[in-house]
Amino acid sequence: MKKGRFIVLEGGEGAGKGMCIDYLKEQLNGRGDMIFTREPGGTPIAEKIRELLLSKDNNGMLPLTELFLFCGARAQHVNELIKPALENGKKVISDRFEDSTIAYQLFGRCRGELRDVFNSLNNIAKDGINPDAVILLDVPVLIGLARKRKSGDGLCTRFDEEKVDFHDMVRAGFLEQYQLAKESGKNWHIVETTVMTEQEVKEKVLKIVKKILEE
Ligand code: TYD
């Protein structure tokens, strides 16, 4: 049977994930075995949870509620979509997964004490499914936020409206996850998006993805 593959793109605001995913879709959709999805979301119920999480009407949401909802959306996404797809030999590419929760809900919200709660919930939610590879798109916060504003989809969600300090912590969270992953031999790649042109970034991500798909 064909082997399923699970690849995740991660990064802070304006890092270029959307641009890379559009390019990957354009280049890989013809294969017929690709599934592109996103978190929070990816299934009808998880998309409803996404609306709750991102809506600017919900500024009073507690960090704990936020953590539970992201994990709830993940449980739905993994069990309804990702797991069955991988079992059928599909190649799944997700715009964000568990490392976003570490970066945003633990680092961004400065709630490191929720780490154990996160680990327990997340392990239940992901039901044994781990990414085969993670590609982290990294960009300095101010450049990323400026890019997002310029692209016209800035300030759309509750997270876009957070202060620079929040986004600095998110970036620190991603970079720490990258270090830890490398030390433990996980298949993580970092793409520094400010030292390359947009085309070079897209080509680099495509090259990494193609290599993983061939393995
Ligand atoms: P989105 O507009 O899709 O952002 P982006 O284009 O940057 O991916 O909104 C998703 C938001 O949800 C984004 O700000 C990051 C946040 N998020 C978390 O805070 N925790 C998570 O676990 C996930 C998956 C996303």
Side-chain angles (χ1 to χ4, degrees):
M1 203 183 93
K2 276 192 299 169
K3 214 155 124 194
R5 283 267 169 245
F6 182 31
I7 302 170
V8 175
L9 262 71
E10 291 282 11
E13 310 303 319
K17 283 184 300 91
M19 168 188 90
C20 290
I21 286 179
D22 287 346
Y23 190 63
L24 291 173
K25 282 184 184 161
E26 198 184 296
Q27 299 293 318
L28 300 171
N29 253 342
R31 292 171 48 112
D33 60 351
M34 301 297 305
I35 292 184
F36 289 90
T37 187
R38 67 173 180 183
E39 286 215 348
T43 72
I45 294 173
E47 289 288 333
K48 285 188 186 159
I49 301 176
R50 177 187 176 92
E51 280 170 31
L52 279 176
L53 278 163
L54 303 192
S55 168
K56 291 194 213 165
D57 294 338
N58 294 334
N59 279 334
M61 191 181 288
L62 297 176
L64 197 61
T65 313
E66 205 175 275
L67 180 66
F68 287 173
L69 287 178
F70 276 112
C71 290
R74 182 158 308 129
Q76 207 65 46
H77 188 207
V78 168
N79 284 281
E80 263 188 74
L81 190 144
I82 301 178
K83 202 169 188 182
L86 295 175
E87 283 167 2
N88 282 318
K90 300 277 191 221
K91 321 294 177 191
V92 179
I93 298 190
S94 184
D95 181 347
R96 303 189 180 279
F97 194 60
E98 58 191 346
D99 294 290
S100 278
T101 318
I102 297 174
Y104 284 78
Q105 279 62 58
L106 301 185
F107 277 78
R109 298 278 181 234
C110 298
R111 297 304 293 265
E113 78 279 8
L114 294 177
R115 174 69 78 147
D116 289 345
V117 176
F118 163 74
N119 285 341
S120 308
L121 271 183
N122 189 51
N123 281 335
I124 299 168
K126 68 179 184 168
D127 202 14
I129 298 295
N130 290 302
D132 292 297
V134 176
I135 302 171
L136 173 61
L137 297 178
D138 182 50
V139 66
V141 168
L142 290 178
I143 297 179
L145 291 176
R147 273 187 194 161
K148 206 159 183 189
R149 227 169 286 129
K150 209 171 140 201
S151 75
D153 66 345
L155 296 187
C156 294
T157 76
R158 233 157 38 83
F159 295 97
D160 296 324
E161 289 190 327
E162 287 293 339
K163 298 200 172 65
V164 172
D165 288 0
F166 173 86
H167 294 290
D168 278 334
M169 288 304 292
V170 168
R171 184 176 185 217
F174 277 128
L175 292 175
E176 187 183 286
Q177 285 302 107
Y178 173 74
Q179 282 308 331
L180 292 173
K182 285 315 257 184
E183 281 162 28
S184 59
K186 289 191 186 150
N187 192 6
W188 271 60
H189 304 260
I190 191 163
V191 179
E192 310 278 357
T193 65
T194 42
V195 296
M196 287 179 258
T197 65
E198 286 191 358
Q199 191 58 32
E200 283 168 343
V201 170
K202 292 194 279 191
E203 294 297 345
K204 176 146 191 192
V205 170
L206 178 64
K207 197 170 158 199
I208 296 170
V209 168
K210 278 188 167 165
K211 185 161 179 281
I212 298 160
L213 295 179
E214 280 158 15
E215 277 166 7

